Amino acid sequence: MAVEDCNFVEEKKIHEAISALRELSKIWEEKNENKKTKKQLFEDKCNKIVHLQISLKKLPNQKFVKMIRIPLPHTLMTEDTSVCLFTGDLNRWNIKADIEPTIQHYKDLLAEKGINCISEVIPLRQLRTEFKPHEAKRHLADGFNVFLADKKIMNCLIGLLGKHFFKKGKYPLQLNMEVKNLKKEVEKTLNKTVMYVRAHGSCSNVPVGHLDFSDLMIKENILAVCKKLAEEVPGKWENIHSCHIKTDKSVALPIYMSLASINNVVLPKDEPTKKQVVGDVTTLRKTCVKVFPDGTVSVLPNSKAEVLEDDQSETEEMEKRMLKLEEKKMNKLKRKQFQRRRLAKDRKRRRSILSNEFDKMEKGSFPEKRVKKT
């Protein structure tokens, strides 16, 4: 099925499923009100978020993980949605630097650009120190609806956030903080929804709307998601087995079902990542040989060889600098470990001396109560 047709799901079925979903939510609310005996501290609003549940026919390889960002015509942001922003540190070289100047700097920047939707700013140093335990990370993931992160620190967040953000589908969206029109960039990123495609299960959920939206708004969001998935999902639209809409507390209602054979699905092959290799030859002077992954060999002329030699020398210098920096870090760590061991030995020696003196004092003052050692 071509993407240009955009007739992936029938609009009539979408309207019927949305009306049935509204009725189910009303029934659930009535039952929940009858069961209530105590007043809840927080209202349960998770039953109002509409998810599109998609199941695949064929799963990709086990190592395959893909995050599909889908722009929506109607944003999922409401007055109650809370947004958190992860930023870098202003003074990143000083480990003992205070966090407050960095937080205040980015809050002033957001206020200057007229951005009011971000409720909390967390720099990288605060994330490393205050949110190091697993329980703190879990509370952080539950505390906000959407997370944004500066483009510069996206690689650092993979090891710091942990599994709780991946499980709940709240991995931060990438934001470029150096853009001139920052407000437009923030709105653009917040108008997107995210779907994770993994090899661990055939079903994936995508938030597409809210029950407070009109039927037309939810329908347009669903069609936009289907159009994007037909391009990005491995195996294209032929790999999608079914589409359902649901809330967190309701039954999944079908809006699309494919009866085509699984044999028609063709997944993209994982080609091994091989690079071109460039090297010198002893038989030819001032020349360079380039070997391609398919086995073909080409001899480069003198000018290209000289350029490649310069590039190689630059890369070698960079590698040497990196090695020197790593050696310095290792030496610092070794010195710290040696100092810790030395301090531990000194403490043990002092304790043994004090215990011996105490024993001598006890022998002299209380000789009758002393028990013979067997």
Side-chain angles (χ1 to χ4, degrees), residues 77-88:
M77 293 287 294
T78 59
E79 294 178 356
D80 300 326
T81 51
S82 54
V83 184
C84 178
L85 174 66
F86 295 123
T87 61

Side-chain angles (χ1 to χ4, degrees), residues 138-139 141-142 163-171 196:
R138 183 168 54 81
H139 286 305
D142 293 332
K163 61 183 179 182
H164 304 290
F165 285 80
F166 287 100
K167 280 184 178 180
K168 294 176 182 179
K170 290 185 178 180
Y171 195 74
Y196 295 92

